[in-house]
Amino acid sequence: MDAIDRQILAELQLDGRLTVTDLAAKVRLSLSPCHRRLRDLEKAGAIRGYRAVVDPVALGLRFEALVFITMRQEDRETVADFEAAVARLPQVVQAQRLFGDPDYLLRVVTADLEAYQQLYDEHLAALPGVQRVSSTLVMKQVVDARPLPT
């Protein structure tokens, strides 16, 4: 990956709806080489997809929590079952396995505290292998969906 590829990635992170013509102009390439580089970046997996960034408040999702999960047992089957169950919860918008304690960090969005409590009681506390669930409420997003450094 060279400087031009990095510039293409930087531009697309700022505006994923750029036409190839506009992208080529921004990175100072002719259309054909820019299109070829774009396809190569997609094939190599550097570009994993394109999507709209949606404001959660516009969807009525005004409540956000960071949920820390400590596992009781961490054998391969329990971890796989836990991760599959987490992946099925649409309110979990990010899930990360961590080194150390806690074992997982989940980013959860719901309409309000009541909806979060219901999710917690019915799903999060009942996930396979969970010993402890601890939540921290998000007061405000300071940095959100920042483009990756290129």
Side-chain angles (χ1 to χ4, degrees):
M1 183 174 305
D2 64 12
I4 294 172
D5 288 339
R6 291 182 185 282
Q7 191 177 1
I8 288 170
L9 294 174
E11 293 295 339
L12 287 174
Q13 285 185 94
L14 294 175
D15 184 359
R17 296 183 69 181
L18 280 174
T19 65
V20 178
T21 303
D22 291 339
L23 180 61
K26 286 184 177 281
V27 299
R28 296 186 177 107
L29 280 179
S30 60
L31 187 60
S32 185
C34 183
H35 191 252
R36 180 183 46 78
R37 283 176 177 264
L38 183 58
R39 278 195 328 259
D40 290 347
L41 288 166
E42 290 169 345
K43 285 180 187 172
I47 298 173
R48 297 192 306 193
Y50 301 90
R51 65 176 182 212
V53 178
V54 179
D55 181 1
V57 174
L59 297 175
L61 301 170
R62 299 179 178 276
F63 186 88
E64 184 174 338
L66 300 178
V67 180
F68 303 95
I69 305 283
T70 301
M71 301 294 286
R72 176 176 49 255
Q73 55 195 76
E74 295 183 73
D75 60 272
R76 185 174 292 165
E77 184 178 337
T78 303
V79 166
D81 290 346
F82 170 85
E83 290 178 0
V86 165
R88 287 191 296 271
L89 296 173
Q91 300 91 337
V92 176
V93 295
Q94 277 185 309
Q96 299 167 323
R97 188 172 181 190
L98 309 173
F99 281 109
D101 189 35
D103 298 302
Y104 288 89
L105 170 61
L106 312 179
R107 184 171 157 234
V108 174
V109 294
T110 63
D112 52 28
L113 178 60
E114 184 179 334
Y116 177 71
Q117 181 183 352
Q118 183 177 0
L119 175 71
Y120 184 103
D121 292 343
E122 294 177 9
H123 298 285
L124 297 176
L127 288 167
V130 169
Q131 176 182 347
R132 186 174 66 247
V133 179
S134 175
S135 303
T136 299
L137 306 183
V138 175
M139 181 186 307
K140 149 180 141 175
Q141 291 291 341
V142 177
V143 176
D144 187 36
R146 174 184 283 165
L148 295 173
T150 54

